[in-house]
Amino acid sequence: MQNIKQISALETFPVRHPVLRANKSIDSCHFDGDNLKATIHFGLLDQNNLIGVISIFEAKNDLFTAEKQFQIRGMAVLKEYQKKGFGKKLICNSEKHCSDQNVNLIWFNARKEAIRFYEKMGYQVKGSPFEIKGVGEHVIMFKKMNCE
Ligand SMILES: CC(C)(COP(=O)(O)OP(=O)(O)OC[C@H]1O[C@@H](n2cnc3c(N)ncnc32)[C@H](O)[C@@H]1OP(=O)(O)O)[C@@H](O)C(=O)NCCC(=O)NCCS
């Protein structure tokens, strides 16, 4: 049985670390803004074991004109649980949270390997690929939540 609940930034580290920051220090799992009041972290639990995480930051990107923008960061599902629909559940849950907050647009920096996943969730690429030092090639992706 799975369920999604709000967790702290620190509680995301056991998933962020192996999936997003493997071979890096545990400190590299901390993101700027992790502990801001506006930032929210969700964890997906399977039989009480944390297997997936996602974080939502209140962050405006000047590429977009939407008034209220949230950024997804730290999206990760443990390797042995990937491709079983858990990532989709985390995204859907986050979109519901954003809708409840009247967010107009969700954006994020997507790893190249994850683009297809996000496209399946209805996100579009904006602009050209760019490098995030030490993490790899990314593109900006977004979804409008309602009419602007
Ligand atoms: C990307 C990630 C979060 C997706 O989570 P997941 O639980 O594996 O995805 P789901 O099982 O919910 O997949 C939903 C759909 O996307 C597809 N999909 C998932 N990952 C994919 C990928 N990397 N490439 C292509 N399609 C993918 C699934 O096959 C499924 O398709 P379907 O609905 O047609 O069956 C997860 O694989 C992960 O943590 N990857 C490593 C870290 C990472 O890249 N994080 C994103 C950082 S931007």
Side-chain angles (χ1 to χ4, degrees), residues 19-20 75-78 81-89 108-111 113-114 116-118 120-121 138:
V19 183
L20 299 172
M75 167 83 210
V77 173
L78 289 178
Y81 291 94
Q82 290 175 7
K83 302 265 175 83
K84 297 180 192 298
F86 297 132
K88 184 175 182 175
K89 282 188 178 156
F108 45 82
N109 300 321
R111 291 177 180 216
E113 313 80 69
R116 189 71 200 113
F117 163 72
Y118 291 119
K120 285 192 168 185
M121 302 295 115
H138 286 70

